[in-house]
Structure formats: C-alpha cells, structure tokens
Amino acid sequence: MNIAIVGTGYVGLVSGTCFAEMGIDVTCVDIDQNKINKLLNGEIPIYEPGLDEMVKRNVDAGRLHFTTSLISCLDNVEVVFSAVGTPPDEDGSADLKYVLEVARTFGQHINKYTILVTKSTVPVGTAKKVKAAIQEELNKRGVQVEFEVASNPEFLKEGAAIKDFMSPDRVVVGVESERAQKVMTKLYRPFLTNNFRVYFMDIPSAEMTKYAANAMLATRISFMNDIANLCDLVGANVDMVRKGIGTDARIGSKFLYAGCGYGGSCFPKDVKALAHTAREYGYTMGVIEAVEAVNERQKGLVVQKLRRKLKSLKDKTIAVWGLSFKPETDDMREAPALVIIDQLIAEGAVVKVYDPVAMPECKRRIGDRVIYCKDMYEAVIDADAIALLTEWKVFRVPSWSVIKKVMKQPILIDGRNIYDKEEVISEGFDYSAIGK
C-alpha cells in the first residue's frame, strides 16, 4: 500500500515513519526544501526518543521517502494524509490556510480515486471546506475524478509518540462511505492485529473527538491547579487530595497533577479553538473558557512565590531548571517557562537556565536574554533561588548539600511538585510547591 503524508512536522514525521515501519510505502512531503534536505541526510528536525533510528531504518529499507512535491507522487498513492500546521489566529480560531492549500493542490492534480485524510487538528466543519476546495479545482479542470475526504485525528503524546502510534489505545476515523472505510481499515489493520480498535464515525464527530479529548485533559489539569491553589490557602496537601480522589474508579489518577500550568502544541491551541467554534455558533463554553483562564493565571504562580520569598526580584539571580513544556521533548510552544522567564526579566532578575534537550530551542526563541548553563549545577552557582519548571528525570535526585553550598540563598520553588517536602527542608532549603 502506498500513501503520502503532507507536512513533516511532529505529527507528519512520526506518522509517516511508523506507517513505514509496518511495511507501507510512505512519501513524506514538505514545501521546506531545507527541512527535506536535512531529512534526506538523516537529520531529524524534532526531538522524539527513538525516532531518528526508525527514520534511518526505513529510509535504508526503501519504504520512507522525502520530497517537496506532492504532485510527483499523487498518481502512485491511495491515501494522502494532510498533517500541516493549524496555528491559532489572534481570536483563537485555527488557521486553515495550509490545510486548504493541500486540498487545492490535491484537486488540481489527482487523476484517480484517492482519499484525502485530515490528520491535523481542525475545527468541526473543516472537512466540508476541504471537500469544496477540491471540487472547485476539479471543476476548473473540467474533469470528473472520484475522491473522498476523511478525518483521522492524532492522539500522540510527545515523548511517547512512537509507542502511541504503534500500539494505539484507539484509532478514530471519520468517513462518508463504506469504500473509504475499507481503505482505512486496510491501512490500520497491521497495527491492531490483536485487538482491532478503530472507531469509525461520521466526519464531524471525528473532528469533535480530538478537541473534546484534549479539552477534557486540559480541564483535569486546570481543575487540579485550582484545587492546589485553595490547598495552599487552607493548609491542605494537594498530593494527598490527588490520591484521595484518584483512587475513585469514576475519576482515576491521570492528569491530576498540580503544577505551574500546561503548555505544548495541543492543549492551549485546541482549548482556544474549541471555545472559538462555540462562539461562532452563538454558544459560550463556560467550563472551557475557565480552563484557559486558570491555566494562564497558573503560569504566573512561580513568580509570585519567588517575589514573596525574595521581596524584590531586581538583581536577583534565578536558576531555572527545565524549559520544555514537559519532559522528553524540546517543544517550548506555550511552555510556562517562556512566561515565567519573561516576567522574571521584566522585574530585573538575572536568569540562568538549564534543560537537557530544549536549550537550542530556547535560544532560538528568546536569544541571549538568559544565561545558558552546561548542567543543573552550573545554573545554581550564586543563585538566590531555583525554579523547577519541567520534571525531567535528571532533576529528581540532586545533591542538595552541594547545591546549598554554591547558592546565595537556598530557596527552591518546585513548580511540578516532584520533591519530598520534608526531605528538602531537612537539607536546609526554604521550599515551596504548588498546593503543599
């Protein structure tokens, strides 16, 4: 089976490589010639554990190809996946210009029955726009070529994307015909031989499922952060509360960890887009809009705690441990670290940073406004406080005695609640967390 995937960003490259791993012939397409050249030379533009080895293996096997031309492979594929970006507009809506560009190119050049599958996260109703754009191009050509559109949202977790794709807990596919369903079943069967968990549904429901899933997870995070903030005021421990409610089978324990807010390429963008879609239909999603408001407020909590400890942040040196929005990725999109660093610098602080993976991405985003350190210990030299923002494993068991000796003041703000409060205090640190 031959397929093409347009877009070699996170979703496109992981999806294409995993399909190739299962024996499917995959052509990954991107208009960025520089990115394609790097991929052809074995350079991976994103950080995802295990991806570089898998890309090399499938390129060497002749199953994974890279090109800048969708047109060159259209006649040889049965399915084209659209995995291009849908960045948020200023009003929070998803920008569909790249999705519609793919649709127009598809309509301008298909010559046989082909399915265009949207894998990008798009608002409900996008499939209708995609279908209309394709048909418009076919009408301009004066030809009749059978085609279909489908929706196949991704549910990949950065840092565990390969496992998620190769052993999915579910695959959601929105189709309009039995013919398209058969093609998509054939495509996904190798992944699900033991337990075939493809859920076919209408296209609007598939589009909505993606947004609803991310909005639910974001809601759990913001809910727990709200509870944590109240715990701080009333003297409760959010870790105990989390255990107490997480053992309830109706609730479960996942995504109930309090911290300094969520970030990444999905939750912030999708929560905004879902709220915007509702407003377009004259409806206000009160819960979803509150989720976003709580998250934005939460990102400022670390700075508030530092300000209370240090009185003034002017000329104070703050060591920031962790920059990416979560461990096992270099992704800093909407990362709390960006907001916190901006606030610290605005108040006159000197910021020293360390992250195992995201340092180049940080430098690309904010340049030399911070001091980049070679490890977590260099970052704390002469620091007035530490702010832990990403729960990388390397930060979990530091040598507190060494750290205390080189700091000006032994102040620690644990923005991810990864440390044992009593242990850190016994080491002589002034310790603050979220809700503890």
Side-chain angles (χ1 to χ4, degrees), residues 351-366:
V351 181
K352 300 170 71 178
V353 304
Y354 174 70
D355 186 286
V357 172
M359 304 272 270
E361 177 64 11
C362 185
K363 194 158 192 174
R364 185 186 73 80
R365 285 179 173 271
I366 67 175

Side-chain angles (χ1 to χ4, degrees), residues 101-113:
E101 280 179 17
V102 173
R104 283 190 284 269
T105 301
F106 182 88
Q108 288 162 4
H109 298 283
I110 55 168
N111 296 305
K112 62 176 180 59
Y113 175 79

Side-chain angles (χ1 to χ4, degrees), residues 303-320:
V303 176
Q304 290 176 24
K305 290 177 178 290
L306 285 168
R307 198 182 295 120
R308 282 198 291 269
K309 296 291 184 183
L310 296 168
K311 307 307 179 189
S312 169
L313 295 175
K314 185 173 176 56
D315 298 326
K316 297 295 193 301
T317 298
I318 310 299
V320 170

Side-chain angles (χ1 to χ4, degrees), residues 63-330:
R63 292 188 298 266
L64 184 59
H65 321 277
F66 299 103
T67 180
T68 57
S69 174
L70 174 60
I71 302 166
S72 65
C73 61
L74 263 181
D75 287 342
N76 300 316
V77 301
E78 298 172 62
V79 178
V80 174
F81 283 90
S82 176
V84 294
T86 53
D89 276 342
E90 291 182 7
D91 61 1
S93 63
D95 188 343
L96 299 177
K97 65 181 177 184
Y98 301 118
V99 171
L100 295 177
E101 280 179 17
V102 173
R104 283 190 284 269
T105 301
F106 182 88
Q108 288 162 4
H109 298 283
I110 55 168
N111 296 305
K112 62 176 180 59
Y113 175 79
T114 314
I115 303 173
L116 179 60
V117 183
T118 301
K119 204 154 188 64
S120 308
T121 302
V122 295
V124 177
T126 298
K128 290 182 180 179
K129 297 177 181 179
V130 167
K131 193 172 183 178
I134 296 170
Q135 190 59 56
E136 182 181 348
E137 296 302 328
L138 290 174
N139 292 343
K140 289 178 183 177
R141 292 167 60 191
V143 298
Q144 291 185 348
V145 181
E146 284 190 278
F147 74 93
E148 292 199 63
V149 297
S151 174
N152 178 210
E154 54 84 19
F155 298 97
L156 305 178
K157 296 187 293 291
E158 293 190 36
I162 291 174
K163 180 181 180 295
D164 286 349
F165 200 100
M166 300 299 283
S167 302
D169 52 12
R170 85 284 203 198
V171 174
V172 172
V173 183
V175 293
E176 292 183 322
S177 75
E178 186 176 334
R179 184 178 183 182
Q181 181 169 328
K182 285 180 177 178
V183 173
M184 297 302 291
T185 299
K186 177 183 174 184
L187 181 62
Y188 274 108
R189 185 175 284 115
F191 296 88
L192 304 159
T193 52
N194 294 327
N195 186 2
F196 197 48
R197 292 156 297 188
V198 175
Y199 297 100
F200 286 102
M201 57 187 72
D202 60 90
I203 292 177
S205 295
E207 293 172 332
M208 180 62 81
T209 296
K210 169 65 175 180
Y211 279 110
N214 280 350
M216 171 59 79
L217 297 177
T219 298
R220 288 171 69 91
I221 294 170
S222 280
F223 171 81
M224 212 59 200
N225 282 335
D226 240 2
I227 293 293
N229 295 341
L230 185 57
C231 282
D232 266 339
L233 296 173
V234 302
N237 185 328
V238 74
D239 283 348
M240 298 296 102
V241 176
R242 176 178 58 81
K243 291 173 185 176
I245 66 174
T247 48
D248 186 327
R250 297 168 300 175
I251 298 173
S253 60
K254 293 183 177 179
F255 284 83
L256 289 184
Y257 291 87
C260 54
Y262 61 74
S265 62
C266 295
F267 288 5
K269 175 172 69 72
D270 294 353
V271 166
K272 289 182 177 72
L274 186 58
H276 181 270
T277 296
R279 290 194 295 272
E280 285 186 321
Y281 285 84
Y283 181 70
T284 299
M285 300 188 78
V287 171
I288 299 305
E289 295 198 357
V291 165
E292 182 185 0
V294 168
N295 192 59
E296 289 307 305
R297 182 181 67 197
Q298 200 71 10
K299 291 180 180 181
L301 201 60
V302 168
V303 176
Q304 290 176 24
K305 290 177 178 290
L306 285 168
R307 198 182 295 120
R308 282 198 291 269
K309 296 291 184 183
L310 296 168
K311 307 307 179 189
S312 169
L313 295 175
K314 185 173 176 56
D315 298 326
K316 297 295 193 301
T317 298
I318 310 299
V320 170
W321 283 355
L323 297 166
S324 56
F325 84 94
K326 73 173 193 175
E328 301 302 328
T329 180
D330 64 347

